[in-house]
Amino acid sequence: LSLKFIIRKKFADVLWNIARFQNDMQITKEMHPVPLYAIKKELVSPKSSNQKVNPALMAKLFETIIYGMTLPDDLLDTVVRRVRTDSDIGRISQQIRMGLIKACVNRKEKKEELKVSLDKSNHDQAYLCGRLFAALEKLQQEASNNSLNRTIKDSYFASASAKPVLVFPKLLDLAQNHLKKVKYPVYYNKLIGEIIDNIDGEFPEMLSLKNQGKFIIGYYQQYQSFFEKNEKNNLMEEE
């Protein structure tokens, strides 16, 4: 017989903290509770033969959920590394990983820094860089009629999320060529311009782990917005 935890807390408080964690994890408008076993699965590479997760990390995660504490830094580090390394994961896996990053960042900030969906009023520099990367990738895809085997995400995402200043000047140069090939360049010019206008002077030299998380969420939410909103269609009609 092994005793793992002794929890001294009212049952109602425990339930409230679990519900709060699920709310923090929400990355879509529809609420989908995420079990611990699904979270555990997203902490290892889907291609790895070793599917074991550090038991200490899972124990710490369980404890922080029950007590409503700040989530462990090791969790954010692991998820960010998985996002930067893995490709071609499923939609549910992607949502769980984004939800974990969002929960980690918001609890560390002690406020709702990151919203459920795209937040154009969020002028955090890392978040804006993530949004810009998504816009540049979508532009590249449209310029090639979605025929590319590799996009800028495959080549530059990891470096852009860590050292934006080294990557974005090159990506913006590439974007000028892509703009000449798309049918409606006004939309992308406007979107990219709006994002860049809110970046303070120059791109950040280096992003901390927490800011890499913001970059990833900015990228994800901006990219998802291309499929959820009709702003682009409205602008095309105006042209």
mmCIF file of all heavy atoms in Angstrom, residues 25-28 34 38-39 41-44 46 79-80 82-84 86-102 116 134 137 141 153 157 213 216-225 227-228:
data_model
loop_
_atom_site.group_PDB
_atom_site.id
_atom_site.type_symbol
_atom_site.label_atom_id
_atom_site.label_comp_id
_atom_site.label_asym_id
_atom_site.label_seq_id
_atom_site.Cartn_x
_atom_site.Cartn_y
_atom_site.Cartn_z
ATOM 1 N N MET A 25 -7.654 25.813 -19.067
ATOM 2 C CA MET A 25 -7.214 25.021 -20.215
ATOM 3 C C MET A 25 -8.023 25.312 -21.476
ATOM 4 O O MET A 25 -7.622 24.921 -22.575
ATOM 5 C CB MET A 25 -7.364 23.525 -19.898
ATOM 6 C CG MET A 25 -6.273 22.948 -19.012
ATOM 7 S SD MET A 25 -4.829 22.451 -19.972
ATOM 8 C CE MET A 25 -5.509 21.145 -21.004
ATOM 9 N N GLN A 26 -9.133 26.005 -21.327
ATOM 10 C CA GLN A 26 -10.034 26.197 -22.469
ATOM 11 C C GLN A 26 -9.382 27.056 -23.545
ATOM 12 O O GLN A 26 -8.961 28.179 -23.301
ATOM 13 C CB GLN A 26 -11.339 26.848 -22.003
ATOM 14 C CG GLN A 26 -12.398 26.918 -23.076
ATOM 15 C CD GLN A 26 -13.718 27.471 -22.557
ATOM 16 O OE1 GLN A 26 -13.855 27.761 -21.376
ATOM 17 N NE2 GLN A 26 -14.680 27.644 -23.441
ATOM 18 N N ILE A 27 -9.312 26.515 -24.751
ATOM 19 C CA ILE A 27 -8.681 27.223 -25.869
ATOM 20 C C ILE A 27 -9.652 27.359 -27.040
ATOM 21 O O ILE A 27 -9.345 27.975 -28.051
ATOM 22 C CB ILE A 27 -7.387 26.489 -26.312
ATOM 23 C CG1 ILE A 27 -6.471 27.408 -27.137
ATOM 24 C CG2 ILE A 27 -7.719 25.197 -27.049
ATOM 25 C CD1 ILE A 27 -5.853 28.526 -26.354
ATOM 26 N N THR A 28 -10.851 26.784 -26.889
ATOM 27 C CA THR A 28 -11.916 26.957 -27.872
ATOM 28 C C THR A 28 -13.176 27.378 -27.133
ATOM 29 O O THR A 28 -13.265 27.241 -25.913
ATOM 30 C CB THR A 28 -12.194 25.655 -28.649
ATOM 31 O OG1 THR A 28 -12.650 24.648 -27.734
ATOM 32 C CG2 THR A 28 -10.946 25.161 -29.357
ATOM 33 N N VAL A 34 -10.460 18.021 -19.999
ATOM 34 C CA VAL A 34 -9.290 17.249 -20.422
ATOM 35 C C VAL A 34 -8.799 16.405 -19.248
ATOM 36 O O VAL A 34 -8.392 16.957 -18.226
ATOM 37 C CB VAL A 34 -8.155 18.177 -20.906
ATOM 38 C CG1 VAL A 34 -6.964 17.357 -21.393
ATOM 39 C CG2 VAL A 34 -8.662 19.106 -22.009
ATOM 40 N N ALA A 38 -4.819 12.241 -20.781
ATOM 41 C CA ALA A 38 -4.660 12.895 -22.089
ATOM 42 C C ALA A 38 -3.544 13.929 -22.031
ATOM 43 O O ALA A 38 -2.787 14.096 -22.996
ATOM 44 C CB ALA A 38 -5.972 13.548 -22.505
ATOM 45 N N ILE A 39 -3.440 14.628 -20.897
ATOM 46 C CA ILE A 39 -2.344 15.584 -20.717
ATOM 47 C C ILE A 39 -1.002 14.852 -20.723
ATOM 48 O O ILE A 39 -0.046 15.276 -21.376
ATOM 49 C CB ILE A 39 -2.527 16.376 -19.410
ATOM 50 C CG1 ILE A 39 -3.745 17.294 -19.523
ATOM 51 C CG2 ILE A 39 -1.265 17.161 -19.059
ATOM 52 C CD1 ILE A 39 -4.080 18.028 -18.236
ATOM 53 N N LYS A 41 -0.195 12.158 -22.154
ATOM 54 C CA LYS A 41 0.125 11.707 -23.506
ATOM 55 C C LYS A 41 0.790 12.806 -24.323
ATOM 56 O O LYS A 41 1.650 12.532 -25.169
ATOM 57 C CB LYS A 41 -1.155 11.244 -24.203
ATOM 58 C CG LYS A 41 -0.960 10.778 -25.634
ATOM 59 C CD LYS A 41 -2.286 10.407 -26.269
ATOM 60 C CE LYS A 41 -2.117 10.051 -27.739
ATOM 61 N NZ LYS A 41 -3.418 9.758 -28.387
ATOM 62 N N GLU A 42 0.416 14.066 -24.066
ATOM 63 C CA GLU A 42 0.942 15.180 -24.860
ATOM 64 C C GLU A 42 2.304 15.665 -24.380
ATOM 65 O O GLU A 42 2.872 16.576 -24.959
ATOM 66 C CB GLU A 42 -0.054 16.343 -24.853
ATOM 67 C CG GLU A 42 -1.393 16.025 -25.474
ATOM 68 C CD GLU A 42 -1.271 15.395 -26.850
ATOM 69 O OE1 GLU A 42 -0.382 15.815 -27.617
ATOM 70 O OE2 GLU A 42 -2.050 14.474 -27.153
ATOM 71 N N LEU A 43 2.829 15.063 -23.342
ATOM 72 C CA LEU A 43 4.129 15.478 -22.820
ATOM 73 C C LEU A 43 5.282 14.672 -23.413
ATOM 74 O O LEU A 43 6.437 14.896 -23.055
ATOM 75 C CB LEU A 43 4.142 15.372 -21.284
ATOM 76 C CG LEU A 43 3.082 16.219 -20.555
ATOM 77 C CD1 LEU A 43 3.239 16.070 -19.053
ATOM 78 C CD2 LEU A 43 3.177 17.681 -20.968
ATOM 79 N N VAL A 44 4.957 13.728 -24.291
ATOM 80 C CA VAL A 44 6.002 12.944 -24.956
ATOM 81 C C VAL A 44 5.772 12.996 -26.460
ATOM 82 O O VAL A 44 4.656 13.246 -26.934
ATOM 83 C CB VAL A 44 6.005 11.470 -24.476
ATOM 84 C CG1 VAL A 44 6.381 11.387 -23.010
ATOM 85 C CG2 VAL A 44 4.646 10.818 -24.718
ATOM 86 N N PRO A 46 4.950 11.815 -30.078
ATOM 87 C CA PRO A 46 4.154 10.697 -30.591
ATOM 88 C C PRO A 46 5.000 9.660 -31.324
ATOM 89 O O PRO A 46 4.565 8.527 -31.518
ATOM 90 C CB PRO A 46 3.167 11.383 -31.551
ATOM 91 C CG PRO A 46 3.806 12.681 -31.910
ATOM 92 C CD PRO A 46 4.586 13.091 -30.712
ATOM 93 N N VAL A 79 5.958 21.266 -22.681
ATOM 94 C CA VAL A 79 4.954 21.472 -23.729
ATOM 95 C C VAL A 79 5.497 22.370 -24.837
ATOM 96 O O VAL A 79 5.283 22.103 -26.027
ATOM 97 C CB VAL A 79 3.654 22.061 -23.139
ATOM 98 C CG1 VAL A 79 2.615 22.246 -24.245
ATOM 99 C CG2 VAL A 79 3.091 21.166 -22.060
ATOM 100 N N VAL A 80 6.193 23.437 -24.473
ATOM 101 C CA VAL A 80 6.790 24.317 -25.489
ATOM 102 C C VAL A 80 7.765 23.537 -26.359
ATOM 103 O O VAL A 80 7.785 23.687 -27.590
ATOM 104 C CB VAL A 80 7.492 25.521 -24.815
ATOM 105 C CG1 VAL A 80 8.387 26.250 -25.814
ATOM 106 C CG2 VAL A 80 6.464 26.479 -24.237
ATOM 107 N N ARG A 82 7.714 20.348 -26.999
ATOM 108 C CA ARG A 82 6.940 19.435 -27.850
ATOM 109 C C ARG A 82 6.341 20.193 -29.042
ATOM 110 O O ARG A 82 6.350 19.710 -30.167
ATOM 111 C CB ARG A 82 5.831 18.762 -27.056
ATOM 112 C CG ARG A 82 6.320 17.772 -26.004
ATOM 113 C CD ARG A 82 6.439 16.355 -26.568
ATOM 114 N NE ARG A 82 7.258 16.242 -27.755
ATOM 115 C CZ ARG A 82 8.586 16.126 -27.764
ATOM 116 N NH1 ARG A 82 9.254 16.121 -26.622
ATOM 117 N NH2 ARG A 82 9.251 16.016 -28.898
ATOM 118 N N VAL A 83 5.802 21.386 -28.813
ATOM 119 C CA VAL A 83 5.202 22.169 -29.896
ATOM 120 C C VAL A 83 6.255 22.551 -30.920
ATOM 121 O O VAL A 83 6.015 22.494 -32.136
ATOM 122 C CB VAL A 83 4.512 23.430 -29.338
ATOM 123 C CG1 VAL A 83 4.081 24.361 -30.472
ATOM 124 C CG2 VAL A 83 3.298 23.041 -28.498
ATOM 125 N N ARG A 84 7.431 22.929 -30.453
ATOM 126 C CA ARG A 84 8.491 23.357 -31.364
ATOM 127 C C ARG A 84 9.093 22.191 -32.139
ATOM 128 O O ARG A 84 9.652 22.381 -33.223
ATOM 129 C CB ARG A 84 9.588 24.070 -30.574
ATOM 130 C CG ARG A 84 9.150 25.404 -29.990
ATOM 131 C CD ARG A 84 10.216 26.019 -29.107
ATOM 132 N NE ARG A 84 11.462 26.221 -29.813
ATOM 133 C CZ ARG A 84 12.563 26.754 -29.267
ATOM 134 N NH1 ARG A 84 12.536 27.109 -27.992
ATOM 135 N NH2 ARG A 84 13.648 26.922 -29.974
ATOM 136 N N ASP A 86 7.505 18.738 -32.538
ATOM 137 C CA ASP A 86 6.591 17.810 -33.208
ATOM 138 C C ASP A 86 5.838 18.495 -34.341
ATOM 139 O O ASP A 86 5.546 19.685 -34.291
ATOM 140 C CB ASP A 86 5.579 17.237 -32.208
ATOM 141 C CG ASP A 86 6.252 16.447 -31.095
ATOM 142 O OD1 ASP A 86 7.386 15.990 -31.303
ATOM 143 O OD2 ASP A 86 5.643 16.296 -30.014
ATOM 144 N N SER A 87 5.489 17.725 -35.329
ATOM 145 C CA SER A 87 4.679 18.227 -36.441
ATOM 146 C C SER A 87 3.608 17.201 -36.781
ATOM 147 O O SER A 87 3.692 16.034 -36.379
ATOM 148 C CB SER A 87 5.551 18.505 -37.676
ATOM 149 O OG SER A 87 6.199 17.316 -38.100
ATOM 150 N N ASP A 88 2.591 17.649 -37.504
ATOM 151 C CA ASP A 88 1.530 16.742 -37.962
ATOM 152 C C ASP A 88 0.834 16.019 -36.813
ATOM 153 O O ASP A 88 0.554 14.816 -36.891
ATOM 154 C CB ASP A 88 2.088 15.710 -38.954
ATOM 155 C CG ASP A 88 2.648 16.360 -40.202
ATOM 156 O OD1 ASP A 88 2.108 17.406 -40.623
ATOM 157 O OD2 ASP A 88 3.636 15.844 -40.744
ATOM 158 N N ILE A 89 0.569 16.739 -35.733
ATOM 159 C CA ILE A 89 -0.209 16.135 -34.653
ATOM 160 C C ILE A 89 -1.684 16.437 -34.898
ATOM 161 O O ILE A 89 -2.037 17.347 -35.639
ATOM 162 C CB ILE A 89 0.223 16.666 -33.265
ATOM 163 C CG1 ILE A 89 -0.010 18.181 -33.164
ATOM 164 C CG2 ILE A 89 1.674 16.315 -32.998
ATOM 165 C CD1 ILE A 89 0.228 18.740 -31.784
ATOM 166 N N GLY A 90 -2.548 15.684 -34.260
ATOM 167 C CA GLY A 90 -3.974 15.842 -34.475
ATOM 168 C C GLY A 90 -4.533 17.101 -33.836
ATOM 169 O O GLY A 90 -3.884 17.750 -33.007
ATOM 170 N N ARG A 91 -5.759 17.436 -34.210
ATOM 171 C CA ARG A 91 -6.405 18.658 -33.720
ATOM 172 C C ARG A 91 -6.584 18.623 -32.206
ATOM 173 O O ARG A 91 -6.343 19.621 -31.519
ATOM 174 C CB ARG A 91 -7.762 18.835 -34.402
ATOM 175 C CG ARG A 91 -8.544 20.065 -33.945
ATOM 176 C CD ARG A 91 -9.839 20.195 -34.715
ATOM 177 N NE ARG A 91 -10.689 19.034 -34.508
ATOM 178 C CZ ARG A 91 -11.550 18.928 -33.496
ATOM 179 N NH1 ARG A 91 -11.649 19.898 -32.613
ATOM 180 N NH2 ARG A 91 -12.307 17.847 -33.365
ATOM 181 N N ILE A 92 -6.998 17.480 -31.656
ATOM 182 C CA ILE A 92 -7.224 17.382 -30.209
ATOM 183 C C ILE A 92 -5.909 17.537 -29.461
ATOM 184 O O ILE A 92 -5.831 18.245 -28.448
ATOM 185 C CB ILE A 92 -7.893 16.044 -29.851
ATOM 186 C CG1 ILE A 92 -9.261 15.928 -30.540
ATOM 187 C CG2 ILE A 92 -8.062 15.932 -28.336
ATOM 188 C CD1 ILE A 92 -10.230 17.028 -30.191
ATOM 189 N N SER A 93 -4.865 16.875 -29.955
ATOM 190 C CA SER A 93 -3.546 17.003 -29.322
ATOM 191 C C SER A 93 -3.088 18.453 -29.334
ATOM 192 O O SER A 93 -2.547 18.970 -28.347
ATOM 193 C CB SER A 93 -2.520 16.128 -30.045
ATOM 194 O OG SER A 93 -2.786 14.763 -29.836
ATOM 195 N N GLN A 94 -3.304 19.121 -30.453
ATOM 196 C CA GLN A 94 -2.909 20.525 -30.575
ATOM 197 C C GLN A 94 -3.668 21.380 -29.568
ATOM 198 O O GLN A 94 -3.083 22.241 -28.899
ATOM 199 C CB GLN A 94 -3.172 21.008 -31.989
ATOM 200 C CG GLN A 94 -2.590 22.384 -32.294
ATOM 201 C CD GLN A 94 -2.843 22.789 -33.732
ATOM 202 O OE1 GLN A 94 -3.957 22.719 -34.225
ATOM 203 N NE2 GLN A 94 -1.795 23.238 -34.408
ATOM 204 N N GLN A 95 -4.951 21.160 -29.428
ATOM 205 C CA GLN A 95 -5.757 21.934 -28.494
ATOM 206 C C GLN A 95 -5.321 21.713 -27.050
ATOM 207 O O GLN A 95 -5.267 22.659 -26.258
ATOM 208 C CB GLN A 95 -7.235 21.589 -28.659
ATOM 209 C CG GLN A 95 -7.852 22.116 -29.941
ATOM 210 C CD GLN A 95 -9.307 21.745 -30.080
ATOM 211 O OE1 GLN A 95 -9.858 21.006 -29.267
ATOM 212 N NE2 GLN A 95 -9.950 22.243 -31.125
ATOM 213 N N ILE A 96 -5.004 20.471 -26.704
ATOM 214 C CA ILE A 96 -4.557 20.180 -25.336
ATOM 215 C C ILE A 96 -3.246 20.897 -25.047
ATOM 216 O O ILE A 96 -3.071 21.517 -23.986
ATOM 217 C CB ILE A 96 -4.407 18.664 -25.122
ATOM 218 C CG1 ILE A 96 -5.782 17.982 -25.178
ATOM 219 C CG2 ILE A 96 -3.729 18.376 -23.775
ATOM 220 C CD1 ILE A 96 -5.716 16.472 -25.135
ATOM 221 N N ARG A 97 -2.324 20.855 -25.978
ATOM 222 C CA ARG A 97 -1.035 21.520 -25.776
ATOM 223 C C ARG A 97 -1.193 23.030 -25.682
ATOM 224 O O ARG A 97 -0.577 23.671 -24.824
ATOM 225 C CB ARG A 97 -0.071 21.158 -26.918
ATOM 226 C CG ARG A 97 0.346 19.698 -26.907
ATOM 227 C CD ARG A 97 1.297 19.364 -28.040
ATOM 228 N NE ARG A 97 1.719 17.961 -27.985
ATOM 229 C CZ ARG A 97 2.654 17.436 -28.753
ATOM 230 N NH1 ARG A 97 3.276 18.175 -29.645
ATOM 231 N NH2 ARG A 97 2.984 16.161 -28.637
ATOM 232 N N MET A 98 -2.031 23.606 -26.520
ATOM 233 C CA MET A 98 -2.274 25.045 -26.447
ATOM 234 C C MET A 98 -2.942 25.413 -25.127
ATOM 235 O O MET A 98 -2.632 26.431 -24.505
ATOM 236 C CB MET A 98 -3.162 25.495 -27.614
ATOM 237 C CG MET A 98 -2.535 25.362 -28.991
ATOM 238 S SD MET A 98 -0.957 26.238 -29.172
ATOM 239 C CE MET A 98 0.134 24.833 -29.436
ATOM 240 N N GLY A 99 -3.882 24.563 -24.686
ATOM 241 C CA GLY A 99 -4.556 24.813 -23.417
ATOM 242 C C GLY A 99 -3.600 24.781 -22.244
ATOM 243 O O GLY A 99 -3.683 25.601 -21.321
ATOM 244 N N LEU A 100 -2.657 23.862 -22.274
ATOM 245 C CA LEU A 100 -1.661 23.780 -21.200
ATOM 246 C C LEU A 100 -0.782 25.021 -21.166
ATOM 247 O O LEU A 100 -0.499 25.570 -20.095
ATOM 248 C CB LEU A 100 -0.796 22.528 -21.389
ATOM 249 C CG LEU A 100 -1.436 21.195 -21.016
ATOM 250 C CD1 LEU A 100 -0.565 20.034 -21.494
ATOM 251 C CD2 LEU A 100 -1.658 21.109 -19.508
ATOM 252 N N ILE A 101 -0.341 25.459 -22.339
ATOM 253 C CA ILE A 101 0.493 26.662 -22.395
ATOM 254 C C ILE A 101 -0.291 27.865 -21.884
ATOM 255 O O ILE A 101 0.227 28.662 -21.088
ATOM 256 C CB ILE A 101 0.996 26.905 -23.834
ATOM 257 C CG1 ILE A 101 1.981 25.804 -24.244
ATOM 258 C CG2 ILE A 101 1.660 28.281 -23.951
ATOM 259 C CD1 ILE A 101 2.415 25.872 -25.693
ATOM 260 N N LYS A 102 -1.515 28.010 -22.330
ATOM 261 C CA LYS A 102 -2.367 29.122 -21.889
ATOM 262 C C LYS A 102 -2.542 29.112 -20.378
ATOM 263 O O LYS A 102 -2.416 30.147 -19.710
ATOM 264 C CB LYS A 102 -3.725 29.039 -22.582
ATOM 265 C CG LYS A 102 -4.772 30.023 -22.083
ATOM 266 C CD LYS A 102 -6.043 29.907 -22.903
ATOM 267 C CE LYS A 102 -7.189 30.690 -22.284
ATOM 268 N NZ LYS A 102 -7.793 29.982 -21.138
ATOM 269 N N VAL A 116 -9.404 33.105 -24.623
ATOM 270 C CA VAL A 116 -9.796 31.850 -25.258
ATOM 271 C C VAL A 116 -9.549 31.894 -26.764
ATOM 272 O O VAL A 116 -9.102 30.925 -27.365
ATOM 273 C CB VAL A 116 -11.274 31.529 -24.954
ATOM 274 C CG1 VAL A 116 -11.743 30.321 -25.771
ATOM 275 C CG2 VAL A 116 -11.468 31.272 -23.462
ATOM 276 N N ALA A 134 2.075 33.595 -38.014
ATOM 277 C CA ALA A 134 0.923 32.900 -38.597
ATOM 278 C C ALA A 134 0.459 33.583 -39.874
ATOM 279 O O ALA A 134 0.128 32.922 -40.866
ATOM 280 C CB ALA A 134 -0.214 32.845 -37.576
ATOM 281 N N GLU A 137 2.928 32.842 -42.656
ATOM 282 C CA GLU A 137 2.802 31.462 -43.136
ATOM 283 C C GLU A 137 1.579 31.304 -44.033
ATOM 284 O O GLU A 137 1.648 30.672 -45.087
ATOM 285 C CB GLU A 137 2.708 30.489 -41.963
ATOM 286 C CG GLU A 137 2.638 29.040 -42.438
ATOM 287 C CD GLU A 137 2.321 28.059 -41.322
ATOM 288 O OE1 GLU A 137 1.918 28.499 -40.228
ATOM 289 O OE2 GLU A 137 2.446 26.845 -41.560
ATOM 290 N N GLN A 141 1.418 30.148 -47.955
ATOM 291 C CA GLN A 141 0.594 29.032 -48.423
ATOM 292 C C GLN A 141 -0.324 29.450 -49.566
ATOM 293 O O GLN A 141 -0.473 28.733 -50.555
ATOM 294 C CB GLN A 141 -0.233 28.473 -47.255
ATOM 295 C CG GLN A 141 0.602 27.746 -46.214
ATOM 296 C CD GLN A 141 -0.211 27.361 -44.991
ATOM 297 O OE1 GLN A 141 -1.178 28.037 -44.633
ATOM 298 N NE2 GLN A 141 0.174 26.279 -44.345
ATOM 299 N N LYS A 153 6.926 27.531 -41.337
ATOM 300 C CA LYS A 153 6.764 26.938 -40.004
ATOM 301 C C LYS A 153 7.737 25.786 -39.803
ATOM 302 O O LYS A 153 8.336 25.638 -38.729
ATOM 303 C CB LYS A 153 5.332 26.456 -39.795
ATOM 304 C CG LYS A 153 5.053 25.909 -38.387
ATOM 305 C CD LYS A 153 3.587 25.577 -38.222
ATOM 306 C CE LYS A 153 3.270 25.205 -36.779
ATOM 307 N NZ LYS A 153 3.891 23.933 -36.374
ATOM 308 N N PHE A 157 10.009 28.121 -37.387
ATOM 309 C CA PHE A 157 9.157 28.322 -36.211
ATOM 310 C C PHE A 157 9.950 28.280 -34.902
ATOM 311 O O PHE A 157 9.806 29.155 -34.043
ATOM 312 C CB PHE A 157 8.042 27.274 -36.173
ATOM 313 C CG PHE A 157 7.030 27.508 -35.089
ATOM 314 C CD1 PHE A 157 5.975 28.390 -35.277
ATOM 315 C CD2 PHE A 157 7.123 26.850 -33.867
ATOM 316 C CE1 PHE A 157 5.042 28.614 -34.274
ATOM 317 C CE2 PHE A 157 6.199 27.064 -32.862
ATOM 318 C CZ PHE A 157 5.153 27.950 -33.071
ATOM 319 N N GLY A 213 5.841 30.767 -24.815
ATOM 320 C CA GLY A 213 4.472 30.287 -24.699
ATOM 321 C C GLY A 213 3.478 31.275 -25.280
ATOM 322 O O GLY A 213 2.532 30.893 -25.989
ATOM 323 N N ILE A 216 3.601 31.138 -29.073
ATOM 324 C CA ILE A 216 2.909 29.959 -29.604
ATOM 325 C C ILE A 216 1.403 30.164 -29.597
ATOM 326 O O ILE A 216 0.714 29.827 -30.570
ATOM 327 C CB ILE A 216 3.309 28.704 -28.801
ATOM 328 C CG1 ILE A 216 4.777 28.346 -29.084
ATOM 329 C CG2 ILE A 216 2.391 27.533 -29.128
ATOM 330 C CD1 ILE A 216 5.341 27.280 -28.169
ATOM 331 N N ILE A 217 0.871 30.734 -28.516
ATOM 332 C CA ILE A 217 -0.574 30.971 -28.442
ATOM 333 C C ILE A 217 -0.985 32.037 -29.467
ATOM 334 O O ILE A 217 -2.024 31.913 -30.128
ATOM 335 C CB ILE A 217 -0.994 31.398 -27.034
ATOM 336 C CG1 ILE A 217 -0.721 30.275 -26.034
ATOM 337 C CG2 ILE A 217 -2.478 31.773 -27.006
ATOM 338 C CD1 ILE A 217 -1.496 28.989 -26.300
ATOM 339 N N GLY A 218 -0.183 33.082 -29.623
ATOM 340 C CA GLY A 218 -0.471 34.103 -30.629
ATOM 341 C C GLY A 218 -0.514 33.507 -32.024
ATOM 342 O O GLY A 218 -1.409 33.811 -32.822
ATOM 343 N N TYR A 219 0.455 32.634 -32.307
ATOM 344 C CA TYR A 219 0.482 31.950 -33.602
ATOM 345 C C TYR A 219 -0.767 31.103 -33.791
ATOM 346 O O TYR A 219 -1.443 31.188 -34.818
ATOM 347 C CB TYR A 219 1.726 31.063 -33.705
ATOM 348 C CG TYR A 219 1.658 30.090 -34.856
ATOM 349 C CD1 TYR A 219 1.987 30.478 -36.148
ATOM 350 C CD2 TYR A 219 1.213 28.776 -34.650
ATOM 351 C CE1 TYR A 219 1.894 29.592 -37.209
ATOM 352 C CE2 TYR A 219 1.110 27.890 -35.710
ATOM 353 C CZ TYR A 219 1.447 28.300 -36.978
ATOM 354 O OH TYR A 219 1.336 27.419 -38.027
ATOM 355 N N TYR A 220 -1.077 30.283 -32.800
ATOM 356 C CA TYR A 220 -2.211 29.357 -32.904
ATOM 357 C C TYR A 220 -3.528 30.102 -33.093
ATOM 358 O O TYR A 220 -4.325 29.767 -33.978
ATOM 359 C CB TYR A 220 -2.266 28.488 -31.652
ATOM 360 C CG TYR A 220 -3.472 27.579 -31.585
ATOM 361 C CD1 TYR A 220 -3.506 26.385 -32.300
ATOM 362 C CD2 TYR A 220 -4.577 27.923 -30.811
ATOM 363 C CE1 TYR A 220 -4.617 25.552 -32.244
ATOM 364 C CE2 TYR A 220 -5.692 27.105 -30.751
ATOM 365 C CZ TYR A 220 -5.705 25.915 -31.468
ATOM 366 O OH TYR A 220 -6.811 25.099 -31.414
ATOM 367 N N GLN A 221 -3.752 31.122 -32.274
ATOM 368 C CA GLN A 221 -5.033 31.831 -32.347
ATOM 369 C C GLN A 221 -5.184 32.620 -33.638
ATOM 370 O O GLN A 221 -6.274 32.675 -34.219
ATOM 371 C CB GLN A 221 -5.181 32.738 -31.121
ATOM 372 C CG GLN A 221 -5.347 31.940 -29.833
ATOM 373 C CD GLN A 221 -5.543 32.814 -28.615
ATOM 374 O OE1 GLN A 221 -5.194 34.002 -28.613
ATOM 375 N NE2 GLN A 221 -6.099 32.249 -27.555
ATOM 376 N N GLN A 222 -4.100 33.224 -34.116
ATOM 377 C CA GLN A 222 -4.173 33.944 -35.386
ATOM 378 C C GLN A 222 -4.439 32.983 -36.533
ATOM 379 O O GLN A 222 -5.270 33.250 -37.407
ATOM 380 C CB GLN A 222 -2.873 34.709 -35.640
ATOM 381 C CG GLN A 222 -2.859 35.494 -36.948
ATOM 382 C CD GLN A 222 -3.875 36.618 -36.969
ATOM 383 O OE1 GLN A 222 -3.809 37.534 -36.172
ATOM 384 N NE2 GLN A 222 -4.827 36.554 -37.893
ATOM 385 N N TYR A 223 -3.755 31.860 -36.532
ATOM 386 C CA TYR A 223 -3.931 30.900 -37.618
ATOM 387 C C TYR A 223 -5.341 30.322 -37.619
ATOM 388 O O TYR A 223 -5.962 30.161 -38.680
ATOM 389 C CB TYR A 223 -2.900 29.776 -37.503
ATOM 390 C CG TYR A 223 -2.718 29.004 -38.785
ATOM 391 C CD1 TYR A 223 -1.866 29.466 -39.789
ATOM 392 C CD2 TYR A 223 -3.420 27.822 -39.011
ATOM 393 C CE1 TYR A 223 -1.717 28.774 -40.976
ATOM 394 C CE2 TYR A 223 -3.278 27.122 -40.192
ATOM 395 C CZ TYR A 223 -2.423 27.601 -41.169
ATOM 396 O OH TYR A 223 -2.290 26.913 -42.359
ATOM 397 N N GLN A 224 -5.862 30.019 -36.423
ATOM 398 C CA GLN A 224 -7.225 29.491 -36.340
ATOM 399 C C GLN A 224 -8.248 30.510 -36.818
ATOM 400 O O GLN A 224 -9.283 30.152 -37.380
ATOM 401 C CB GLN A 224 -7.541 29.080 -34.900
ATOM 402 C CG GLN A 224 -6.770 27.872 -34.411
ATOM 403 C CD GLN A 224 -7.014 26.636 -35.267
ATOM 404 O OE1 GLN A 224 -8.153 26.242 -35.500
ATOM 405 N NE2 GLN A 224 -5.941 26.024 -35.735
ATOM 406 N N SER A 225 -7.955 31.779 -36.616
ATOM 407 C CA SER A 225 -8.904 32.826 -36.999
ATOM 408 C C SER A 225 -9.126 32.869 -38.508
ATOM 409 O O SER A 225 -10.171 33.319 -38.965
ATOM 410 C CB SER A 225 -8.422 34.199 -36.507
ATOM 411 O OG SER A 225 -7.338 34.676 -37.291
ATOM 412 N N PHE A 227 -9.783 30.526 -40.343
ATOM 413 C CA PHE A 227 -10.826 29.563 -40.687
ATOM 414 C C PHE A 227 -12.138 29.844 -39.959
ATOM 415 O O PHE A 227 -13.159 29.234 -40.259
ATOM 416 C CB PHE A 227 -10.359 28.144 -40.351
ATOM 417 C CG PHE A 227 -9.041 27.795 -40.976
ATOM 418 C CD1 PHE A 227 -7.865 27.887 -40.245
ATOM 419 C CD2 PHE A 227 -8.963 27.406 -42.299
ATOM 420 C CE1 PHE A 227 -6.643 27.581 -40.819
ATOM 421 C CE2 PHE A 227 -7.752 27.096 -42.886
ATOM 422 C CZ PHE A 227 -6.583 27.181 -42.149
ATOM 423 N N GLU A 228 -12.095 30.770 -38.995
ATOM 424 C CA GLU A 228 -13.270 31.004 -38.159
ATOM 425 C C GLU A 228 -13.993 32.298 -38.477
ATOM 426 O O GLU A 228 -15.162 32.455 -38.176
ATOM 427 C CB GLU A 228 -12.862 31.030 -36.682
ATOM 428 C CG GLU A 228 -12.299 29.702 -36.197
ATOM 429 C CD GLU A 228 -11.687 29.810 -34.821
ATOM 430 O OE1 GLU A 228 -11.632 30.948 -34.281
ATOM 431 O OE2 GLU A 228 -11.252 28.777 -34.280
#
